[in-house]
Amino acid sequence: PAYVRKGSDYSLPSTKMQDESYKLIGWKKNGDSDDKIYKPGETIEADSDMKFTAVWSRDWKELQKLMKNGGNITLDDDYISGADDTSLVVPANKSVVLDLNGHTIDRNLYNGDAVEGGSVIIAYGKLTINDSSKDKSGVITGGKTQEGAGGIIIKGGKVNLNGGTIK
């Protein structure tokens, strides 16, 4: 955790885990009811004593590579994009069967304005989404584009949603 004392300015640290398949997405202020994630390096002006907890995720770029290669993908953890990450892409000549397996893919664009290319997934090829988890709790969320969409944008591809939720 990171502690910030009332009346101070504090730059939230960047740090790495020993397991390099995870990356620091940012910091969440304890006690906040919103989903705001503060970026590493962001300066906090504390109007009260605050505690921040690191938000870790599997490396978004790892999931991007899997999608680019096509084939069957079963999630074993949640994926949350960082500030420098882009949409996941299913290439035109590929087919992806994505099993959410009860996990979340979160583009993390809740704060600020919509962005060009702010969707979670762009499908140029064929994408099939399943959720094999017992409670069917898999979610695709957090996209925010200038066009008003955010979950999945279909650009010449085909999407079959057999399970999971798109928020």
Side-chain angles (χ1 to χ4, degrees), residues 1-166:
Y3 297 94
V4 183
R5 296 285 176 218
K6 181 179 178 177
S8 66
D9 291 348
Y10 181 77
S11 181
L12 293 167
S14 295
T15 186
K16 293 185 176 186
M17 286 184 93
Q18 284 184 327
D19 181 349
E20 292 186 12
S21 66
Y22 285 85
K23 90 178 204 185
L24 178 67
I25 300 303
W27 297 87
K28 186 166 173 105
K29 187 167 96 174
N30 292 29
D32 268 4
S33 59
D34 65 11
D35 288 327
K36 180 168 183 173
I37 297 176
Y38 296 85
K39 297 175 186 171
E42 188 170 341
T43 299
I44 303 300
E45 297 175 10
D47 55 2
S48 64
D49 288 350
M50 299 177 185
K51 179 181 176 184
F52 290 84
T53 303
V55 177
W56 297 96
S57 176
R58 291 291 294 265
D59 191 343
W60 186 262
K61 288 174 181 54
E62 174 187 318
L63 184 55
Q64 283 178 321
K65 287 177 191 172
L66 292 171
M67 298 281 281
K68 183 179 177 182
N69 291 333
N72 296 326
I73 302 168
T74 301
L75 300 185
D76 61 359
D77 207 342
D78 296 339
Y79 286 83
I80 304 171
S81 78
D84 59 339
D85 290 322
T86 59
S87 301
L88 302 168
V89 174
V90 179
N93 59 345
K94 299 291 181 175
S95 178
V96 172
V97 177
L98 176 63
D99 183 354
L100 297 171
N101 193 27
H103 294 286
T104 297
I105 298 175
D106 187 348
R107 184 67 199 279
N108 192 28
L109 293 176
Y110 302 104
N111 307 320
D113 295 329
V115 297
E116 181 69 32
S119 65
V120 181
I121 300 172
I122 301 173
Y124 296 98
K126 183 178 179 187
L127 173 63
T128 301
I129 301 170
N130 301 317
D131 185 1
S132 64
S133 67
K134 189 175 183 178
D135 61 356
K136 306 297 182 203
S137 59
V139 176
I140 296 172
T141 189
K144 192 174 185 183
T145 68
Q146 294 170 337
E147 297 82 19
I152 300 172
I153 294 182
I154 304 167
K155 292 192 173 183
K158 182 177 179 182
V159 175
N160 294 313
L161 181 62
N162 300 326
T165 302
I166 300 173

